Amino acid sequence: MSLRDISSHISEMYDTELSHTVLSKITGCIFIEVKAWQSRPLEAVYCIVWMDAARYKVRVTHKVLYNILGINRDGYKQVLGTYISESEGDNFWLQVLTDMQNRGLEDILIACTDNLTGFKEAIESTYPKADVQSCIVHQIRNSLKYVASKDQKEFMRDLKRVYRADTKDLAELALDELAGKWESKYPVVNASWRVNWEKLTTYFQYTQSIRTLIDTTKNK
């Protein structure tokens, strides 16, 4: 957003005029604070770290804002950083994870992502002991894109038996039953769950209390 855009927005919202000189001084002060926040030291260990993407159209190009949220050993959530990119990939994620390493982050126990391109390769080289859990919500949303609206309610009832199962073995049985019922009609959906199965089921190895922390489907 340019100074002209900011000036127009302030004028429209608050009926107040600010010169470009004043705006430049204000944004300059803000940028100093932002840079200090972006480079602040992190704690050595975070139990769970979420990588979430928000996409914005900026003039002609599309940019992606990645928010990194973590739970520390005392159970408090913190925003670890925000990173902007026009594309994903292992080089981008390697830069992000290396930046967090340089700021003092020594270990991540569980990393939760929305199946980000290149993330698996990057985290294996920076935090090789971290478990990676793909976001169930994103997987569900992607699945429903291929399911006819008239079938979605029944399909979701069957799908809940998969990701809400008590154990991974029971989840696999439920997935087999789901495939037996729906695969002929929606083969792409079944194939997607099969391909991503290991990354989608990491949380089954943990106790229910930890699974609740990881879980982002409680409102589904």
Side-chain angles (χ1 to χ4, degrees):
M1 181 177 283
S2 67
L3 292 178
R4 186 183 301 276
D5 294 332
I6 296 173
S7 179
S8 297
H9 183 71
I10 292 175
S11 177
E12 181 181 343
M13 292 290 293
Y14 304 106
D15 194 26
T16 299
E17 299 292 337
L18 292 178
S19 69
H20 286 190
T21 300
V22 172
L23 285 174
S24 180
K25 289 181 179 179
I26 293 173
T27 54
C29 292
I30 292 173
F31 285 150
I32 292 174
E33 295 294 328
V34 170
K35 290 295 184 182
W37 179 83
Q38 288 177 327
S39 60
R40 77 196 190 284
L42 298 176
E43 296 183 27
V45 177
Y46 285 88
C47 301
I48 306 174
V49 173
W50 291 270
M51 318 280 181
D52 191 32
R55 289 169 172 80
Y56 300 93
K57 185 175 182 180
V58 182
R59 296 181 181 176
V60 179
T61 62
H62 287 79
K63 293 185 181 294
V64 183
L65 174 66
Y66 294 95
N67 297 305
I68 316 298
L69 178 69
I71 293 183
N72 65 12
R73 285 176 288 186
D74 295 322
Y76 292 102
K77 289 184 179 180
Q78 300 174 0
V79 178
L80 308 186
T82 57
Y83 301 85
I84 297 175
S85 176
E86 294 182 8
S87 62
E88 297 175 8
D90 52 352
N91 287 335
F92 168 73
W93 283 112
L94 189 59
Q95 292 175 14
V96 171
L97 295 171
T98 300
D99 175 66
M100 292 198 294
Q101 273 189 331
N102 292 337
R103 291 164 58 199
L105 178 54
E106 298 175 4
D107 201 8
I108 296 172
L109 303 186
I110 306 168
C112 302
T113 79
D114 56 350
N115 205 16
L116 300 168
T117 303
F119 181 80
K120 182 176 182 293
E121 293 77 9
I123 199 167
E124 284 178 351
S125 66
T126 50
Y127 299 102
K129 294 182 179 180
D131 289 331
V132 178
Q133 168 68 45
S134 289
C135 179
I136 298 292
V137 168
H138 285 84
Q139 180 70 21
I140 292 170
R141 289 173 181 168
N142 289 335
S143 298
L144 290 179
K145 292 178 183 178
Y146 300 96
V147 178
S149 56
K150 63 183 179 65
D151 291 333
Q152 287 188 2
K153 185 175 181 179
E154 184 179 356
F155 180 86
M156 277 303 304
R157 185 167 56 247
D158 295 335
L159 185 58
K160 283 180 181 178
R161 296 181 57 244
V162 177
Y163 63 82
R164 288 187 175 175
D166 290 331
T167 67
K168 185 177 179 180
D169 288 341
L170 291 175
E172 289 174 344
L173 288 174
L175 184 63
D176 289 339
E177 293 175 0
L178 182 81
K181 182 176 180 178
W182 296 103
E183 185 173 18
S184 60
K185 198 169 187 178
Y186 304 113
V188 173
V189 175
N190 179 69
S192 177
W193 280 85
R194 298 291 186 186
V195 168
N196 296 304
W197 185 245
E198 291 306 315
K199 291 185 292 184
L200 289 167
T201 56
T202 300
Y203 67 96
F204 280 115
Q205 65 184 286
Y206 297 106
T207 62
Q208 187 58 51
S209 59
I210 296 177
R211 286 171 57 178
T212 300
L213 285 175
I214 297 172
D215 186 25
T216 55
T217 64
K218 53 183 174 295
N219 295 319
K220 286 288 177 180

